[in-house]
Amino acid sequence: MQIYKVGGAVRDRLLGKPVTDIDWVVVGATTEEMLAKGFRPVGADFPVFLHPKSGEEYALARTERKSGRGYGGFTFHASPEVTLEEDLIRRDLTINAMAEDNLQNLTDPYHGQQDLENRLLRHVSPAFAEDPLRVLRVARFAARYAALGFTVAPETLDLMRQLSESGELEALTAERSWKEISRALMEDQPQVFIEVLRECGALKVLMPEVDALFGVPQPEAHHPEIDTGVHTLSVLEQAARHKQPLTVRWACLLHDLGKGLTPEEEWPRHIAHEHKGLKLIKAVNERFKAPKDCQELALLVGKYHTHGHRALELKPSTLLELLQSFDVYRRPQRFEEFIAACEMDARGRKGLEQRSYPQADYLRGAANAARTVAVQPLLENGFKGPELGEAIKRERLKALKTYKEAASA
Ligand code: ATP
Ligand code: MG
């Protein structure tokens, strides 16, 4: 048997990027031979094994044929006769379809190295169109390598457009899509992921609620960029620049969905867009079965981001409601993430990227003020049950009044 390094490890070495996980392909071997060498099988359907020591993935060279809709609709053929070239041709991009042996001799039948030099994300063969997940993968690689100058080859974009129009994208499972979306959002330029999906028509299918924001104007006084879609991309860009976690990036992407529902007569104003957007945020959350912390933060940021911006003008009673809604006493981290999302929203505007955001410290101070209310004295005064809850609220309100007065003095 011959063993080759494939995929990301080869690509990233040639790019001079750190290689994290290595995928291997094994040519000329049978399952029985692999098991005899101590490899552990991964799944029932795939001829993939884990190395007994390193735990890295070793796949038998295989060919694939599409036999139905979605990813379940694939049949694999692995046998010792399958060649390296046959295995490489089923891969998505030419830059991912190179192999190298233990002497670093490159096998590159589809000219991946040339595309690396030309900074092109190009599909390997027309079989690209057999798996709609590749649309998301290409957009994710575009986001990852945008800083190096990579773009999607026009003929690949055409195929992605055909896939988006064919209805095949709808066959993707929530799990497979979310895995790509969440990884793409964590790249350095997540806005490029959304841009590429939009360019090939996939955004309209996957997240029509986000697609609908493009072409919707906002008041120039607050939004020099005017367009709500452009604003959303800038907010995402800021979130990545400030190394925000996935929860914050997801909330940034979805925070303004309500603006897509504003009747044109009301443009460029968006009255109550925070509230109107909630059902759309919920729909997108559920479509991709986003993790609970992402879902929750997106809904809270959608509902309250304007409160965040107006923090210094909020009445103590409104401040208290905000803090209660976030359960800031038990979930301080979530409130920090809310503040971060609001700040990214404020900076994701043309020419305002460097602005200061005093609301952040003001909100933190308010949370601290409310938190300092001690429960023990109230218990000692005989409060219990719902009355205790009311008494705590009253004390917190008092603390917030004092805080606000001190802050504006
Ligand atoms: P990363 O750095 O994100 O891990 P990678 O290229 O290693 O990038 P993997 O998802 O680990 O990506 O997949 C390993 C290789 O398997 C890819 O380089 C590609 O050749 C192939 N591959 C993975 N998923 C697909 C797919 N859906 N369609 C075609 N080829 C794929
Ligand atoms: Mg990999």
Side-chain angles (χ1 to χ4, degrees), residues 43-290:
D45 322 335
F46 289 86
V48 177
F49 303 85
L50 298 181
H51 191 277
K53 289 223 183 73
S54 71
E56 285 169 351
E57 275 194 19
Y58 286 68
L60 295 188
R62 65 177 191 253
T63 58
E64 286 178 3
R65 252 180 324 125
K66 193 171 173 59
S67 57
R69 255 175 96 85
Y71 200 61
F74 262 100
T75 48
F76 300 96
H77 168 70
S79 87
E81 284 78 48
V82 175
T83 65
L84 183 58
E85 285 73 12
E86 284 171 331
D87 180 275
L88 293 176
I89 204 171
R90 70 173 171 83
R91 293 169 186 270
D92 48 6
L93 295 171
T94 59
I95 64 166
N96 291 342
M98 297 181 276
E100 109 193 338
D101 64 16
N102 59 3
L103 298 172
Q104 290 193 349
N105 292 313
L106 200 66
T107 304
D108 180 18
Y110 311 108
H111 312 295
Q113 208 173 13
Q114 196 182 316
D115 285 338
L116 271 185
E117 272 156 32
N118 293 331
R119 303 303 199 223
L120 275 177
L121 303 169
R122 187 203 305 277
H123 64 283
V124 175
S125 86
F128 178 91
E130 293 183 356
D131 179 9
L133 191 76
R134 292 168 188 158
V135 173
L136 287 125
R137 282 180 60 89
V138 175
R140 171 163 70 79
F141 283 116
R144 183 188 298 179
Y145 296 126
L148 296 178
F150 275 85
T151 56
V152 182
E155 59 273 30
T156 303
L157 206 58
D158 282 344
L159 271 181
M160 290 163 71
R161 200 169 285 124
Q162 284 169 33
L163 264 168
S164 304
E165 285 164 6
S166 71
E168 277 282 323
L169 280 175
E170 283 101 320
L172 286 173
T173 62
E175 289 76 11
R176 287 189 89 210
S177 301
W178 177 255
K179 199 168 155 227
E180 291 302 325
I181 293 167
S182 55
R183 291 182 73 186
L185 289 178
M186 290 314 290
E187 297 291 355
D188 284 346
Q189 303 215 36
Q191 77 283 4
V192 173
F193 175 69
I194 302 295
E195 276 169 342
V196 170
L197 291 181
R198 176 160 178 260
E199 215 180 327
C200 71
L203 191 61
K204 197 184 279 176
V205 180
L206 296 168
M207 300 185 200
E209 301 87 349
V210 176
D211 196 65
L213 300 179
F214 291 86
V216 173
Q218 308 164 100
E220 196 173 352
H222 296 295
H223 285 281
E225 73 287 347
I226 299 179
D227 189 280
T228 311
V230 172
H231 164 59
T232 298
L233 294 180
S234 307
V235 178
L236 208 47
E237 186 179 350
Q238 289 301 316
R241 193 163 294 171
H242 289 88
K243 307 275 181 238
Q244 299 295 351
L246 179 62
T247 45
V248 174
R249 297 185 191 202
W250 182 241
C252 285
L253 177 63
L254 305 185
H255 78 284
D256 265 347
L257 292 189
K259 290 183 178 171
L261 294 178
T262 309
E264 276 189 48
E265 312 85 82
E266 292 177 21
W267 286 358
R269 299 191 62 205
H270 298 280
I271 303 148
H273 74 274
E274 303 85 349
H275 179 74
K276 288 189 212 158
L278 293 178
K279 62 174 191 282
L280 302 185
I281 297 174
K282 187 163 180 283
V284 181
N285 271 338
E286 289 173 359
R287 185 173 314 138
F288 298 109
K289 298 190 185 152

